[in-house]
Amino acid sequence: MFAMDLSATVLCCTPSYAAYLGERMKELGYGPDDIPLKAGIFGAEAWSEEMRKDIEKTLGIKAFDIYGLTELSGPGVAFECSAQSGMHINEDHFIAEIIDPDTEEVLPEGSVGELVFTAVDKEAFPMIRYRTKDICKLTREKCSCGRTHIKMAKPMGRSDDMLIIRGVNVFPSQIETVLMNNGYAANYQIIVDRVNNTDTFDVQVEMTPEMFTDNIGEIEARQRKLSDDLKAMLGIKAKVSLLAPKSIARSEGKAVRVVDKRKI
Amino acid sequence: MSVKQISVFLENKPGALKKMTGVLAGHEIDMRALSMVETRDFGIARIIVDDPISAVNVLKEADFVSNLNSVLVVEIPDEPGGLDKLINIFADAEVNIEYMYAVSGHKSTKSACMIFRVADTKAAEARLVSKGLKILTQDDVMKI
Ligand SMILES: [Zn+2]
């Protein structure tokens, strides 16, 4: 294990990868005392307090949450402190506000709404009241760590339909684009689940006359092409399965596009 | 003359085939031949029926995706070596077979039918006929 060879003391990755490392360690017969790691900084996807406790126990570390946005500075927008109760926003660089996503009005402190950032010292790529689409809450309270920077809670959801799968942002419209580019109707459903701490990503597509042929090898080739195109578009692999027409659940005539079974 | 075959997309799950046979039965469409091919997630049912156009329409109404294509149907004596002789004629005529399946014919004539899917049905048919092979028509198939 690299962490041992290099005597690494801090691990930075997605929480699901950290959980995976913990499991692998157990399988290989290593305990938390066998590795030099002291702390972990985990972000880019949603994770729960239970998952934090689990990672802390198996790796023998303190696990901290981190929040960032590629458009602002990447990681480094907000970090958890030793109190592990919300992330301090680096207010000397970013002004944070919570707005009502519908009216765009700024909401008072402690309200749940969409997080908006203004970058104070960014050059060449200014950001003024940039809407993150992340739904969350800001509180300015005296922290036990002594810092006075405003704290943000873990994002609770999105104001748009973006999904985060294996740490990658996925919009249902991207799947639609791939289907349309291949000349198929966009009758699809995304099913996301988490199995053994890893997100599973299934795209179910209803068969159309354009996709169908009497040649089973050709249909499989079209299925593979969709999978390859999705990988090229999203950067992560999806399992594409073909369903009978009209088999995707519809609610009030509209197909249900996303089924997220992950329990976080 | 080639015969019309309908290829129907089926999900590889319990009840998918039942739904298709139910639709055909409900419209009194008589199936003369059926062949299934499948992968882990889906399959294709290939059927020959008495009224292909109606069958395609009722299947479409019942939300099935299907297509109509042409196959060559040949009667062979139901005896040892029957298929071998037939395949030899295909080899002689240089006709590539994409896939094939069999239907047993009626008990009285002791014959069976072989159904062949080839790349270029018309050209293949001409070459096979020139080798002396009798290709069944849609009407012949209805009499089986
Ligand atoms: Zn603090």
Side-chain angles (χ1 to χ4, degrees):
Chain A
M1 291 186 78
F2 271 128
M4 289 183 190
D5 294 345
L6 302 173
S7 301
T9 52
V10 179
L11 173 67
C12 272
C13 58
T14 59
S16 47
Y17 192 69
Y20 165 76
L21 282 182
E23 264 165 37
R24 275 300 286 159
M25 259 178 50
K26 257 194 219 164
E27 280 169 24
L28 297 171
Y30 294 114
D33 297 332
D34 300 319
I35 52 163
L37 283 179
K38 289 179 188 161
I41 298 166
F42 306 123
E45 67 183 14
W47 55 311
S48 61
E49 270 314 303
E50 290 73 52
M51 203 166 169
R52 184 201 314 254
K53 291 206 182 80
D54 203 47
I55 293 169
E56 290 192 330
K57 208 175 124 210
T58 50
L59 293 178
I61 58 169
K62 281 286 222 183
F64 299 98
D65 206 355
I66 180 176
Y67 177 86
L69 282 159
T70 314
E71 302 90 322
L72 279 178
S73 66
V77 176
F79 279 113
E80 248 179 2
C81 62
S82 53
Q84 291 182 314
S85 64
M87 294 172 272
H88 287 288
I89 291 169
N90 290 323
E91 280 183 288
D92 32 358
H93 301 292
F94 312 108
I95 300 166
E97 291 168 300
I98 290 286
I99 62 162
D100 180 320
D102 298 321
T103 64
E104 301 186 350
E105 290 297 324
V106 176
L107 300 174
E109 192 199 312
S111 314
V112 172
E114 185 179 330
L115 184 58
V116 170
F117 281 110
T118 299
V120 180
D121 54 2
K122 255 172 93 94
E123 287 175 31
F125 197 78
M127 285 284 187
I128 296 162
R129 287 193 157 150
Y130 181 74
R131 295 183 60 171
T132 63
K133 310 271 179 182
D134 281 325
I135 300 293
C136 102
K137 195 167 91 171
L138 294 177
T139 43
R140 192 178 288 285
E141 59 195 20
K142 200 169 169 350
C143 184
S144 61
C145 76
R147 287 180 189 82
T148 53
H149 291 74
I150 200 162
K151 284 210 279 201
M152 63 177 277
K154 249 182 214 305
M156 305 157 197
R158 297 277 304 173
S159 63
D160 61 9
D161 54 2
M162 188 182 89
L163 289 160
I164 302 177
I165 305 171
R166 289 177 222 141
V168 173
N169 300 348
V170 173
F171 287 94
S173 58
Q174 292 175 294
I175 284 128
E176 212 159 300
T177 306
V178 167
L179 287 169
M180 305 286 241
N181 286 348
N182 278 278
Y184 308 140
N187 294 326
Y188 65 93
Q189 187 172 60
I190 302 165
I191 298 176
V192 193
D193 202 349
R194 190 165 283 177
V195 180
N196 298 328
N197 288 311
T198 307
D199 291 341
T200 60
F201 177 28
D202 290 2
V203 176
Q204 303 196 321
V205 182
E206 283 183 4
M207 183 46 95
T208 65
E210 294 74 30
M211 210 187 298
F212 184 63
T213 130
D214 179 41
N215 183 331
I216 208 147
E218 179 58 32
I219 299 178
E220 284 185 307
R222 290 174 188 179
Q223 193 177 10
R224 268 197 306 278
K225 166 102 176 13
L226 283 179
S227 182
D228 292 347
D229 287 2
L230 283 171
K231 174 97 203 292
M233 166 80 88
L234 305 169
I236 53 168
K237 214 170 142 49
K239 179 178 176 283
V240 175
S241 28
L242 304 175
L243 303 188
K246 303 269 170 73
S247 57
I248 288 171
R250 280 152 170 86
S251 98
E252 289 162 11
K254 268 190 76 177
V256 179
R257 290 289 172 232
V258 178
V259 179
D260 196 340
K261 298 178 179 170
R262 291 175 292 190
K263 288 180 188 74
I264 292 163
Chain B
M1 270 303 286
S2 59
V3 170
K4 293 289 171 216
Q5 170 188 259
I6 305 167
S7 301
V8 188
F9 175 82
L10 295 179
E11 257 182 79
N12 197 353
K13 68 173 190 197
L17 181 62
K18 168 75 196 77
K19 189 185 163 204
M20 182 193 83
T21 53
V23 168
L24 296 174
H27 289 83
E28 297 189 339
I29 288 165
D30 192 10
M31 244 190 287
R32 296 303 160 100
L34 164 73
S35 155
M36 287 288 302
V37 52
E38 74 276 320
T39 68
R40 209 157 48 87
D41 341 316
F42 66 90
I44 301 175
R46 291 161 178 152
I47 54 174
I48 293 178
V49 299
D50 56 350
D51 185 352
I53 303 296
S54 303
V56 166
N57 287 335
V58 299
L59 285 170
K60 188 164 190 276
E61 276 165 30
D63 297 324
F64 281 96
V65 171
S66 68
N67 75 21
L68 202 56
N69 45 66
S70 301
V71 287
L72 298 174
V73 181
V74 183
E75 202 168 358
I76 54 167
D78 192 3
E79 63 187 28
L83 180 62
D84 183 53
K85 273 184 212 143
L86 179 60
I87 299 296
N88 271 329
I89 300 176
F90 273 73
D92 265 1
E94 293 180 353
V95 172
N96 267 330
I97 300 163
E98 281 184 16
Y99 60 78
M100 57 189 257
Y101 54 98
V103 216
S104 55
H106 38 173
K107 291 183 187 101
S108 57
T109 60
K110 282 261 183 191
S111 70
C113 273
M114 292 303 304
I115 296 159
F116 294 90
R117 174 86 162 136
V118 297
D120 184 342
T121 316
K122 276 214 167 73
E125 189 180 352
R127 286 209 290 276
L128 291 166
V129 168
S130 77
K131 299 282 174 190
L133 195 67
K134 182 179 182 313
I135 308 282
L136 300 193
T137 64
Q138 196 86 30
D139 285 346
D140 294 335
V141 170
M142 290 316 113
K143 284 175 210 144
I144 294 168

